[in-house]
Amino acid sequence: MQVIERLRNTKKTLFSFEILPPLKGKSIQSIYDGIDPLLEFDPAFVNVTYHREEFIYKKREKGYLEKIAIKKRPGTVGICAAIKNKYNIEAVPHLICGGFTREETENALIDLNFLGIDNVLALRGDPIKTEPHFIPENGGNKYAVDLVRQIVDLNQGKYIDENIENATPTNFSIGVAGYPEKHFESPNMQADIRRLKEKIDAGAHYVVTQLFFDNKKFFAFVKACRDAGIDVPIIPGIKPIESLRHITFLPKFFNIDLPSELTDQLEQCTSNEETREVGTKWAIQQSKELVEFGVPCIHYYTMGKSKTVRRIAQAVFKK
Ligand code: FAD
């Protein structure tokens, strides 16, 4: 089923979560071990992230350096197919512009279509470490909106090769990213929301937000989106703080703030266990408020670890 259909037809707040493909060399069992404890909360869908190649330099003879591309977490499409097959749950692959030509994107979408996967989250991707800013592939999509347009074209049976006749249309439900605290490259919130509206106007069906810890920012974001004419479902993304390292890592990596009420509590913590306790209680409180607000779904960033998200789901979604 398309994710957008689940979102449109629900009367209660749904539960969903995101997982990462395992590091190369690890088996798919680690994915199942992360999903199994969350099945009882009836996940509406599971998102699977996509990780671009990284470049490393290897020293060769005579001091030459060889640039080598390595992909540490391959397997997004395979994992989605495996999840659908094993659990009969909708799996949503993240598809990015970076590193793909439009031709390669089209081929990836054809593979997904043949596998019976009718959902994608369309993203631009971040710049790779060796780039000062995002550089699209030659002949690739530059912004997520371009990727959305390509998927919409395929949904209308329009392939890159105009000579293909009587082409079978695909049927993708398309999610896009939104930022309650603004995307880090955007000059201001209004400009970012205008860009988000372009993605919706291009044919995206729903929005999943970047993680955030201050519900007031999410509520203000939803209002600003509605005022701007964005009327599709907006799904909040929640990540519990689970370690002392998260306190500095999450704001830096995701360009978000931690509210002072939360940092006041976190500053008292001296161990990861204490930090996790504070982070879990905060996420439960956030989730309950979001349910009260009437969000269609809450999307949890598990980062491959389901224990804490299970505790939150037990407090928020248990029947
Ligand atoms: P866009 O919507 O293209 O926006 C990027 C920036 O460009 C914004 O500042 C926007 O305001 C601006 N912009 C947009 N259109 C235009 C235009 N026409 N002209 C000028 N400026 C424009 N990354 C991964 O690599 N893999 C993942 O699996 C992944 N999953 C994610 C899941 C979620 C829910 C979220 C929120 C992010 C995820 N990301 C992932 C990170 C994402 O790729 C980055 O945040 C990226 O920098 C922006 O992606 P986007 O799709 O929001 O880009």
Side-chain angles (χ1 to χ4, degrees), residues 9-30:
N9 294 321
T10 186
K11 289 194 174 71
K12 58 171 191 147
T13 299
L14 301 169
F15 166 76
S16 69
F17 59 94
E18 176 189 286
I19 56 172
L20 277 67
L23 286 167
K24 195 180 266 188
K26 293 246 158 65
S27 92
I28 195 162
Q29 189 56 44
S30 61

Side-chain angles (χ1 to χ4, degrees), residues 49-50 94 123-126 143-144 179 183 192 195 199 301:
T49 55
Y50 184 87
H94 292 191
L123 301 147
R124 187 196 69 179
D126 279 325
Y143 292 106
Y179 302 84
H183 184 258
D192 207 25
R195 297 302 183 189
K199 294 193 272 193
Y301 295 105

Side-chain angles (χ1 to χ4, degrees), residues 140-285:
N141 291 311
K142 192 171 177 191
Y143 292 106
V145 67
D146 305 317
L147 176 54
V148 171
R149 288 190 185 115
Q150 184 173 10
I151 302 167
V152 168
D153 275 353
L154 224 57
N155 277 352
Q156 293 168 355
K158 276 191 238 161
Y159 288 68
I160 296 171
D161 180 354
E162 289 164 2
N163 296 321
I164 298 176
E165 284 175 9
N166 301 321
T168 314
T170 55
N171 188 30
F172 288 107
S173 159
I174 309 165
V176 287
Y179 302 84
E181 299 183 54
K182 178 181 101 55
H183 184 258
F184 68 100
E185 290 167 24
S186 199
N188 56 55
M189 197 63 179
Q190 287 71 22
D192 207 25
I193 287 178
R194 272 202 303 279
R195 297 302 183 189
L196 179 57
K197 173 120 187 339
E198 283 171 7
K199 294 193 272 193
I200 306 305
D201 290 347
H205 298 107
Y206 65 97
V207 178
V208 184
T209 78
Q210 183 58 280
L211 54 94
F212 62 89
F213 293 89
D214 186 348
N215 280 354
K216 284 198 242 32
K217 291 192 175 163
F218 175 77
F219 300 146
F221 173 71
V222 172
K223 179 169 187 318
C225 287
R226 300 301 181 224
D227 289 349
I230 296 171
D231 56 4
V232 297
I234 300 177
I235 303 175
I238 296 293
K239 156 106 196 91
I241 291 189
E242 295 199 66
S243 67
L244 289 163
R245 193 179 83 93
H246 277 166
I247 302 170
T248 47
F249 171 78
L250 296 177
K252 184 172 167 222
F253 193 81
F254 294 104
N255 297 284
I256 48 132
D257 283 346
L258 302 185
S260 57
E261 201 189 327
L262 174 59
T263 49
D264 287 350
Q265 294 175 44
L266 291 169
E267 275 164 15
Q268 312 294 318
C269 300
T270 53
S271 66
N272 285 338
E273 288 69 34
E274 283 174 26
T275 312
R276 188 174 304 118
E277 203 51 36
V278 169
T280 306
K281 284 190 178 142
W282 187 271
I284 290 172
Q285 188 51 34

